[in-house]
């Protein structure tokens, strides 16, 4: 009986995660009087909860399952079928319109305020760009990180803001249609750039490390994340296995939030699986 209770307790975080998303779903459903929010956040919360159940049960495909279930839903249903620009340009667009819908809600929950709780969980479990990049051959970077290239993310960020600002200032007609086409073109460019960079730098996540403009929001917010990988430095034997398997070059064998590349952690838990002394949790 005690063993059964202990087993069940392992799944409590999955239930809590689902309830957290349900709270957001119900709150937005009532506030916006729109059933879509109930269905949308229930689906995403359900996928994440199921993914964590699979992870807890030791299934190696758990993270890919969530990435594909959430990422393809957002890309195909919200982006292509519903014609919502869910990229950063869409965020600026809806922000300038003063509309708290689609991309603005998505950015608030997943990329601006959510990271205070779940860090860069979006990057590990839901991003539709990374859901493809993570299937490329360089899961563990084969070359040293090129820190200076990180400046490119700010260039991309400024570029996206400038383009959308110019469209508004020039009072361009059919802006909705233009934003939809930008979404299609932008995603094609991201996939091509991500795949080329992965092969050139021998690193699946090179796009995330150097080019992705969303990290301008994600990195500072995730510094304060409630959910993070902890290291019991007393148990660490400095074997370096965690550093080898980390796709994001996080110095995870340090407990401090100031650990090198600490704001890059995507909570994939590869390091915790690799650690021979269970120093990481
Ligand atoms: S860094 Fe950007 S591209 Fe990479 S997973 Fe995060 S949001 Fe997606
Ligand atoms: S391997 Fe560990 S430190 Fe690196 S991204 Fe995954 S969870 Fe974070
Ligand atoms: S894998 Fe574990 S023991 Fe080895 S360096 Fe990392 S934290 Fe320390």
């Amino acid at each position: 009986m005690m063993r059964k209770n202990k087993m069940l307790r392992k799944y409590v975080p999955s239930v809590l995660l689902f309830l957290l998303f349900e709270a957001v779903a119900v709150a937005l459903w009532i506030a916006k009087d729109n059933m879509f929010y109930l269905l949308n956040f229930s689906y995403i919360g359900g996928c994440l909860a199921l993914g964590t159940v699979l992870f807890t049960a030791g299934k190696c495909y758990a993270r890919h399952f969530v990435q594909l279930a959430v990422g393809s839903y957002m890309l195909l249903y919200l982006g292509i079928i519903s014609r919502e620009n869910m990229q950063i340009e869409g965020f600026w667009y809806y922000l300038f319109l003063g509309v708290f819908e689609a991309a603005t809600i998505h950015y608030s929950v997943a990329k601006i305020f959510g990271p205070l709780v779940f860090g860069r969980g979006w990057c590990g479990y839901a991003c539709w760009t990374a859901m493809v990049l993570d299937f490329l051959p360089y899961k563990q970077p084969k070359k040293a990180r090129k820190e200076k290239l990180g400046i490119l993310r700010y260039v991309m960020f400024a570029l996206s803001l400038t383009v959308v600002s110019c469209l508004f200032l020039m009072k361009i007609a059919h802006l909705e249609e233009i934003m939809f086409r930008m979404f299609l073109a932008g995603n094609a460019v991201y996939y091509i750039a991500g795949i080329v960079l992965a092969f050139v730098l021998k690193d699946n996540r090179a796009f995330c490390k150097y080019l992705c403009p969303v990290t301008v929001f994600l990195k500072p917010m995730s510094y304060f994340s409630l959910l993070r990988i902890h290291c019991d430095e007393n148990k660490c034997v400095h074997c370096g296995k965690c550093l080898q398997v980390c796709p994001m070059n996080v110095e995870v064998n340090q407990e401090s939030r100031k650990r090198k590349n600490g704001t890059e952690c995507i909570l994939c838990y590869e390091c915790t699986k690799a650690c021979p002394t269970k120093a990481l949790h």
Side-chain angles (χ1 to χ4, degrees), residues 89 92-93 96 158-171:
E89 293 78 21
W92 300 129
Y93 171 65
F96 294 165
L159 203 62
S160 70
L161 181 56
T162 309
V163 168
V164 181
S165 304
C166 288
L167 289 175
F168 268 87
L169 289 174
M170 289 158 71
K171 296 190 170 46

Side-chain angles (χ1 to χ4, degrees), residues 49-95:
L50 183 55
T52 54
V53 166
L54 292 171
F55 180 82
T56 309
K59 307 292 178 198
C60 59
Y61 57 81
R63 196 170 67 84
H64 287 307
F65 162 79
V66 184
Q67 274 183 312
L68 289 170
V70 179
S72 51
Y73 159 72
M74 299 198 79
L75 176 67
L76 300 175
Y77 179 71
L78 297 184
I80 297 177
I81 297 173
S82 304
R83 298 170 73 94
E84 302 277 5
N85 188 325
M86 304 295 286
Q87 284 191 298
I88 195 162
E89 293 78 21
F91 171 67
W92 300 129
Y93 171 65
Y94 288 108
L95 198 66

Side-chain angles (χ1 to χ4, degrees), residues 245-269:
V245 297
C246 179
M248 301 302 286
N249 313 103
V250 181
E251 193 183 30
V252 68
N253 58 353
Q254 302 291 314
E255 170 57 9
S256 167
R257 281 187 188 270
K258 291 184 181 151
R259 56 171 65 135
K260 199 170 175 199
N261 298 320
T263 57
E264 296 283 58
C265 178
I266 57 169
L267 299 173
C268 66
Y269 294 101

